[in-house]
Amino acid sequence: MQKLTGSILLSLLMCQSAIAQTGSANEPVRYIGGVTVDPSVHDGRLRWAIGVENRQVLRANRSHPALADNFGWTYNHAPFIAYWNHQFYVQYLSNPVNEHEAPGHTLIMTSKDGEHWSMPQEVFPPYQAPPGVKIPEGYNGYMMHQRMGFYVAPNGRFLTVAFYGHTEHPFREGGIGRVVREIHKDGSYGPIHFIRYSSYNQWNESNTSFPFYKQSTDTGFVNACTALLSDKLMNFQWLDEDSGNDDFYPNFKTYKDSVNALSYFHRKDGKVVALWKKSWTALSDDEGKTFSKPVKVPTLLMAGGKNWGQRTKDGRYAMVYNPIETQEYRYPLALVSSDDGIIFDDLLLVHGEVPPRRFYGRWKDFGPNYIRGIEEGNGIPPGNDMWLTYSVNKEDIWVAKVPLPVKYKVTGPVADHFNGPLEDWNIYTPQWAAVSIVNNTLQLADKDPYDYARAIRVFKESTTVKLQLKISPQQNDHGMLDLDVTDRFGNRPVRISFSEQGYITAQDGDSVKQLLKYSPGKWYNLSITINNKYYSITVNHTPVLQHAQLAEAVKSFERLSLRTGPYRNLPNRKTPNQVAAPPLAGADDPLPPAVFNIDDVLIQ
């Protein structure tokens, strides 16, 4: 074998180094944490990003539409979020039952504070073709599909956009075009226009239902649309639907079948990082006019759920996605964070709940999915938080507020008296199972027949715990509250309950013991001491359980969990996803509320 000369060897080594260089076009991002998801549980056994508030902003309701969206449609998905004119906007698309079915429309809801949300308002109605224009052969109706929702133009105009196509395949030949309308500061909406027609067809003003944007007499609106068409980063998100059968996306004709659902952020060096589904990434040096060849990043485990990336207000970076390679079971929702937008670490939980899917529908994947945050240029809310939106079970729409900087550890004792804003508690608050501060107490109020309210307090990880808190149930003939002390993986060695039968119970090893009967409106001061073998409880300074065995062995303790329903782990990844079933009985009707007040949480 011929020996390699020094210069040839050096060239080969340099080539190998370039191929492997993290941060280059060969590997734009890398997750280095090593922590992966346990697929057997909803939260993946991940640590929590401390202080995240998960809030349901739309609860689908087929029987009583006035309690949901005034339509009663139960496929709700693909939300987007923006902040403009001192309020939040969430846009999402909706179909009666199934994904990719007719009719389909798009709605928007608003909020001043991210907590209280308006009734959704239809902004792009189901498409009606002009007289004489027939549905092409092979299609059976019209639907909506979009990868972008909002745009704040340089002139201050605020646009919302969406895409009309044919069912069941709105892409390529099935597309019609992208529509746009302006959102005014008074809450009204301008007329609907097309901003771009599908590049695969001969659609134009003569055979579609809305005028082209250039026909508008509003110069400011026209200028805003022109700016959007010129913003290659923003409109690159449109590639999914019209596929660029022209020169609109010149750099991506070769790769358009491998990239889907773009999100992007600017690194500190000015490069733009593109993120797509299924671990695809690329880099741009020219603000999105061209990108490097997309590559799959092997350290990012994901399937068909979206990947959201952004630079956060604290100057760091975050990616949020479902870190597991299962398509129909998209849970949990987690984030990784970074100092430089290249090296990401600390896989932490954002949303770890998977409630029952109340309404069957085609392709309604289990769990929180299709995550999106506020795009660059689409507003900066007050406070030091990252705001996200996603659907759960492609049925309900949720918003999450993630405090910055992202953290997962607590170093000192806990002393929470709820005299101000809720801090450092992770809350899961469906519309019918609210978690809130009421009269300087933490209140869990549950009337949901299939979901629960949950509040979690992370404390300093330790092998021994002294925990005190006060609980006041407002009833004792219905409803329940489970109190668990868990380890960092979510294992539940200590399990105490205010049961539906009106008793305080606790698990001692493999048995459940009744401790005492509780009364409505009375405060119960619980003191719990725990070590790695036993725990004891006093209630109102009276010992009620001594040296109880842990329900399961753990190395340490890290979280207090309060939950108004029993522990659940269904659906799981063996639960059939596409077996038709009737709606869950009574899912659209609230139960009598069960209310529990909590105060003076002390942990050391």
Side-chain angles (χ1 to χ4, degrees):
M1 181 182 292
Q2 185 176 1
K3 290 186 177 181
L4 294 174
T5 66
S7 60
I8 295 175
L9 180 59
L10 179 61
S11 297
L12 287 174
L13 290 173
M14 290 178 65
C15 181
Q16 290 176 346
S17 177
I19 291 173
Q21 185 62 51
T22 300
S24 73
N26 300 294
E27 190 188 38
V29 296
R30 174 185 281 256
Y31 166 59
I32 63 169
V35 174
T36 56
V37 163
D38 180 345
S40 68
V41 290
H42 288 170
D43 61 14
R45 302 196 190 279
L46 297 178
R47 275 180 151 158
W48 290 79
I50 291 176
V52 175
E53 297 183 7
N54 304 112
R55 197 173 302 278
Q56 187 184 64
V57 299
L58 172 79
R59 185 188 190 276
N61 194 310
R62 186 173 293 171
S63 305
H64 310 295
L67 298 179
D69 58 0
N70 281 326
F71 291 92
W73 295 6
T74 55
Y75 173 86
N76 303 293
H77 189 41
F80 301 89
I81 186 169
Y83 186 82
W84 181 79
N85 192 30
H86 308 294
Q87 65 180 352
F88 293 93
Y89 293 78
V90 164
Q91 183 217 70
Y92 68 98
L93 56 81
S94 180
N95 301 337
V97 177
N98 302 303
E99 183 163 298
H100 284 208
E101 76 169 346
H105 65 169
T106 295
L107 305 95
I108 286 179
M109 62 186 84
T110 62
S111 172
K112 294 290 187 183
D113 58 8
E115 181 175 347
H116 305 91
W117 289 81
S118 68
M119 173 72 74
Q121 182 177 353
E122 184 183 68
V123 292
F124 294 109
Y127 188 76
Q128 298 290 331
V133 177
K134 296 182 179 180
I135 298 174
E137 185 177 352
Y139 301 100
N140 56 20
Y142 302 105
M143 60 170 285
M144 306 211 79
H145 188 280
Q146 54 256 17
R147 301 297 196 200
M148 173 188 169
F150 299 107
Y151 177 66
V152 179
N155 64 2
R157 299 292 185 100
F158 186 37
L159 306 180
T160 183
V161 295
F163 188 83
Y164 283 119
H166 295 88
T167 56
E168 299 172 343
H169 195 74
F171 316 106
R172 294 188 178 182
E173 292 83 2
I176 299 173
R178 197 163 312 274
V179 283
V180 60
R181 67 191 304 188
E182 184 175 354
I183 304 174
H184 300 300
K185 288 187 176 181
D186 64 1
S188 63
Y189 293 86
I192 301 173
H193 293 78
F194 275 98
I195 189 171
R196 175 171 160 83
Y197 300 103
S198 170
S199 57
Y200 272 86
N201 301 295
Q202 301 301 314
W203 299 111
N204 54 54
E205 272 193 292
S206 69
N207 55 17
T208 54
S209 296
F210 305 109
F212 196 50
Y213 80 96
K214 289 185 178 180
Q215 301 304 314
S216 172
T217 59
D218 185 340
T219 303
F221 171 72
V222 173
N223 289 341
C225 291
T226 301
L228 175 53
L229 288 167
S230 300
D231 190 328
K232 288 305 178 183
L233 283 175
M234 278 287 182
N235 59 52
F236 190 25
Q237 300 169 92
W238 302 353
L239 178 67
D240 287 15
E241 286 97 7
D242 72 21
S243 297
N245 195 34
D246 54 15
D247 292 328
F248 197 67
Y249 316 103
N251 186 227
F252 265 79
K253 288 186 176 182
T254 305
Y255 316 128
K256 60 192 177 187
D257 293 327
S258 61
V259 296
N260 193 299
L262 170 74
S263 73
Y264 63 87
F265 61 84
H266 283 79
R267 290 195 325 211
K268 293 177 181 178
D269 62 5
K271 294 182 185 292
V272 177
V273 179
L275 304 171
W276 293 281
K277 292 181 176 184
K278 300 183 180 181
S279 311
W280 289 95
T281 67
L283 291 179
S284 174
D285 294 315
D286 54 13
E287 290 299 307
K289 295 181 180 64
T290 59
F291 276 89
S292 61
K293 181 180 178 180
V295 294
K296 288 193 69 136
V297 174
T299 56
L300 296 182
L301 300 180
M302 62 182 69
K306 294 178 179 178
N307 182 11
W308 172 254
Q310 72 170 83
R311 188 172 184 177
T312 51
K313 290 179 72 174
D314 58 350
R316 303 186 75 242
Y317 297 84
M319 284 193 294
V320 191
Y321 58 100
N322 303 113
I324 194 160
E325 293 177 305
T326 54
Q327 178 70 1
E328 296 180 341
Y329 307 87
R330 296 178 180 172
Y331 58 85
L333 184 64
L335 68 79
V336 291
S337 57
S338 170
D339 290 323
D340 58 10
I342 300 172
I343 304 296
F344 288 80
D345 199 356
D346 297 331
L347 184 66
L348 302 176
L349 192 64
V350 172
H351 184 115
E353 298 287 347
V354 186
R357 187 178 63 188
R358 304 186 303 280
F359 304 97
Y360 167 79
R362 181 182 62 179
W363 305 336
K364 289 181 67 177
D365 303 319
F366 293 130
N369 57 83
Y370 266 37
I371 179 69
R372 277 296 178 259
I374 299 177
E375 284 181 293
E376 296 177 0
N378 278 355
I380 302 175
N384 200 31
D385 307 286
M386 176 171 61
W387 289 85
L388 306 167
T389 186
Y390 48 95
S391 73
V392 171
N393 299 336
K394 298 190 181 181
E395 186 165 279
D396 306 316
I397 304 298
W398 285 72
V399 165
K401 183 175 75 168
V402 182
L404 301 172
V406 176
K407 62 180 182 178
Y408 63 89
K409 286 186 178 181
V410 172
T411 57
V414 170
D416 293 337
H417 303 287
F418 311 109
N419 296 322
L422 191 62
E423 295 180 352
D424 293 332
W425 283 77
N426 290 70
I427 64 170
Y428 172 79
T429 177
Q431 285 196 337
W432 287 1
V435 180
S436 57
I437 300 293
V438 177
N439 296 326
N440 294 331
T441 65
L442 177 65
Q443 184 178 94
L444 280 62
D446 186 357
K447 59 180 180 181
D448 197 305
Y450 289 101
D451 211 345
Y452 51 58
R454 192 177 185 195
I456 292 173
R457 185 54 157 103
V458 178
F459 53 84
K460 181 179 179 180
E461 186 176 17
S462 178
T463 56
T464 62
V465 178
K466 292 183 179 180
L467 187 154
Q468 290 181 302
L469 77 165
K470 293 162 57 178
I471 300 176
S472 177
Q474 302 305 295
Q475 65 292 306
N476 65 357
D477 58 351
H478 66 276
M480 61 171 291
L481 179 72
D482 271 0
L483 184 160
D484 295 334
V485 179
T486 82
D487 69 355
R488 57 172 292 186
F489 303 105
N491 298 307
R492 302 177 298 130
V494 176
R495 308 175 187 180
I496 302 167
S497 182
F498 285 68
S499 73
E500 294 180 298
Q501 293 74 34
Y503 287 91
I504 301 177
T505 66
Q507 186 156 337
D508 183 355
D510 60 359
S511 64
V512 176
K513 293 186 176 180
Q514 280 189 1
L515 305 184
L516 62 117
K517 191 170 182 63
Y518 66 85
S519 301
K522 183 177 178 180
W523 282 100
Y524 293 86
N525 193 334
L526 277 67
S527 179
I528 308 163
T529 58
I530 312 167
N531 60 38
N532 60 359
K533 289 186 178 180
Y534 303 106
Y535 74 101
S536 300
I537 307 173
T538 65
V539 177
N540 293 339
H541 310 294
T542 299
V544 294
L545 185 66
Q546 296 292 310
H547 301 295
Q549 295 184 13
L550 302 181
E552 51 191 337
V554 295
K555 292 169 60 177
S556 60
F557 311 93
E558 189 182 74
R559 301 197 291 260
L560 165 67
S561 168
L562 301 167
R563 187 184 59 242
T564 60
Y567 175 81
R568 65 185 174 205
N569 200 32
L570 291 174
N572 61 29
R573 298 183 197 274
K574 295 181 180 180
T575 303
N577 181 276
Q578 288 298 293
V579 175
L584 297 183
D588 287 343
D589 298 298
L591 299 174
V595 179
F596 296 87
N597 295 327
I598 296 95
D599 204 357
D600 298 336
V601 177
L602 308 175
I603 308 173
Q604 58 182 6

